[in-house]
Amino acid sequence: MNRHLPFVLGCAALALGANAHAQQAPAIDLAGAQARADATVKQMTGDEKVILTHGMMPLPFLPGTKVPEGAVPGAGYVPGIARLGVPALTETDASLGVAWVGGLRKDGATALPSGLAQAASWNPGLLYRGGAIIGAEARAKGFNVLLAGGVNLMRDPRNGRTFEYLAEDPLLSGDLVGAAIAGIQSNHIISTIKHFALNGQETGRKYVDVKIAEGAARESDLLAFQIGIEKGQPGAVMCAYNRIGGAQACASDWALNKVLKGAWGYKGFVMSDWGAVPGVEAAINGLDQQSGEQLDKGIYFADTLKAKAAGDKAWAARLDDMNRRVLTAIYAAGVDKNPARPGGQIDFAAHAQVAEEVARQGIVLLKNNGALPLAKTAKTIAVIGGYADSGVLAGSGSSLVMGEGGPAATRSLGGDGPFAALMQQSYHRSSPLKAIQASAPQATITFRDGRYIADAVEKARQAQVAIVFATEWRTEGADQPDLSLPDGQDALIAAVAAANPNTIVVLETGGPVLMPWLDKVAGVVEAWYPGARGGEAIASVLFGDTNPGGRLPVTFPASLDQLPRPKLDGSDWVEPNFGGDPAPGKDQLHSDYDIEGSDVGYRWFARKGLKPLFPFGYGLSYTSFAARDLKVSGLSASFTLANTGQRAGDDVGQVYLVRRNGAPLQRLVGFKRLSLAAGASQSASVTFDPRLLADWKDGRWTMPAGEYGFALGRNAAELGPVVTIKLPARAWKD
Ligand code: BGC
């Protein structure tokens, strides 16, 4: 309970994220930053007050765009105020590293594995390290703002941006994004957290209007942001494209003023998503900075805003607050005192090792009938499909990162417009085929790209082991029509499995997929989009150099019928157009999140008694584990994990709240990943965030008095004995 005293005592003003227990966050002198910001605002002229309030996209390929001097080509540029020592903001995407911008950046950057891969590690310390390296690269390339921190919950597994985000659970998402942000900001640069909020689909993303009860939002998507902000203390929050209750998220008084800045006491600034600003009124509703202004219908946060402030005291005060917030973020991160300049040194070899470690820890073993790990002495291996000879798949859109030399392979999907290159399917230069050959040097390895099934089957039949690489590509700007593997890959896998009983499927997917062939294959490895060294990480798991310890951060449904919305809203009439504007007269799209409310993902499956294909938290290992001795006292719990098998490996202890006063419910309330030698056991403790035990209603968090039952889970669907304790009633504001 103590961890929330700062809120209750009104000390929120002392942290960007209104919480004093930020994990791993670098010390931030917020009060000092605010005092400096106030002093600077006092010295600003009327003209200067509308410099930090808007920014452009410094992209030479955009029609009519001239890249200003001092800008670094990338997602955004906000000029500084030299007279006052205020640095320009140089902004780049995103959560997986310094973005490639459709080939504009030739210098290369380290691509972390996808957000889901990172989250499957269940390891905040690792996400901090990942954040630290991509923040260092951003800085070395002259950027002082990384548009990272994507933390929208997976409400629909078809969301095209699922790969950028982390999980379906607010605790896992919040803890992990907070750690990543803290790592990024350890480089004296600003990180965002995004996209605030309830940005659950790409279909009609600029106008889909989300309906959700306030309590349900607070207990789910908003809680992920709240925890992430507390732990990571990001300098900026990027508001989303969608509408919430009829208002654009970037002009939502409720989301920005009432919740973020009011209830949570957030002191940093809100920047818009690119092309998400409906007009100058967004400022009064809580937006502090208009980003990527060429994409909006007007530049509202320059002269229009200045004129408003000149004629109205409330607008003038708001404008001062907007400047104060941007400056607070700049000073708190030390952006002005530690200028980022292009041409900095990057230790790419060391960063590649971190990317590989993230991939290894995030790979999830979904099925193994004993065929894995593969023997390094295998004589014949058939590798099939997935461009495995060239590299590993990446997700596309603004977050796409590419190493030096660009993609190993691409597949153009047509389309035109300045952003078409961002929509291209691209593969990182990390060939699983080469890594497999390096792991089994004496093996004869054949490769077939899988376009011709009979030919692939022939090769599979001749080999001891067949490894099929299956890819499912996703991109920002479009959702998946369904969860099947495209391009006939299901048929390919089934045919190969029929020819070779030792068929292993390696999935490179941007989210959950269906597996109609699951019963027929010997093993399944979910490698996600595994990043710059994905090929090496995959081989290391296949041959047992890494004992897989990843656990699913999202539920894999058994069918679309199991979802709260079996049909994705708008999927029948909205054309994917990279998330652009609606066709004339076609901007009425609604999505009802009250169907599941705060029961997102596994909580929905538990509520409905549905059996998924693979549950949240699921993952196998080459050893075996026992989780035992759950003890709960007040808001903390301890348990023991034992490695009962023959190999060292990692397991993730997962504690769930499963019952409250006799009523079933399910919420992850604590987790810890431990590395255990064969035969070793270790105890661990976790502290519960009381919000996870509470409901949000009538403007406050409320815990009823009574019996709370907890269980250790191997995953959300395999729970151990219930331990029940009594807790007193409690109610509190944020
Ligand atoms: C995306 C953001 C990104 C921005 C700048 C938008 O289309 O939604 O995530 O940061 O572009 O590239």
Side-chain angles (χ1 to χ4, degrees), residues 110-237:
T110 303
L112 288 177
S114 67
L116 284 183
Q118 297 181 38
S121 74
W122 293 57
N123 186 345
L126 190 64
L127 270 84
Y128 181 93
R129 284 171 67 199
I133 66 149
I134 63 174
E137 293 192 10
R139 179 183 174 74
K141 291 170 187 294
F143 294 108
N144 55 28
V145 179
L146 190 57
L147 306 172
V151 73
N152 297 93
L153 295 190
M154 189 189 83
R155 275 190 183 258
D156 195 300
R158 288 162 294 194
N159 181 359
R161 292 185 94 169
T162 301
F163 74 91
E164 283 186 58
Y165 303 138
L166 296 165
E168 64 188 20
D169 175 78
L171 173 65
L172 185 60
S173 297
D175 270 5
L176 295 177
V177 83
I181 291 166
I184 292 166
Q185 294 196 153
S186 67
N187 293 286
H188 293 297
I189 66 170
I190 293 168
S191 175
T192 54
I193 188 168
K194 71 188 187 184
H195 307 87
F196 192 69
L198 297 155
N199 190 179
Q201 66 178 59
E202 290 298 281
T203 302
R205 70 174 177 178
K206 282 195 166 172
Y207 48 97
V208 58
D209 188 11
V210 168
K211 171 173 153 313
I212 187 166
E214 181 157 14
R218 291 296 226 103
E219 292 167 15
S220 58
D221 301 60
L222 293 187
L223 185 54
F225 275 95
Q226 193 178 6
I227 295 172
I229 290 171
E230 291 163 2
K231 300 221 154 153
Q233 310 215 6
V237 171

Side-chain angles (χ1 to χ4, degrees), residues 75 93 147 161 194-195 205 238 241 273-274 398 476:
D93 285 305
L147 306 172
R161 292 185 94 169
K194 71 188 187 184
H195 307 87
R205 70 174 177 178
M238 187 191 294
Y241 281 124
D273 202 340
W274 272 232
S398 57
E476 177 182 344

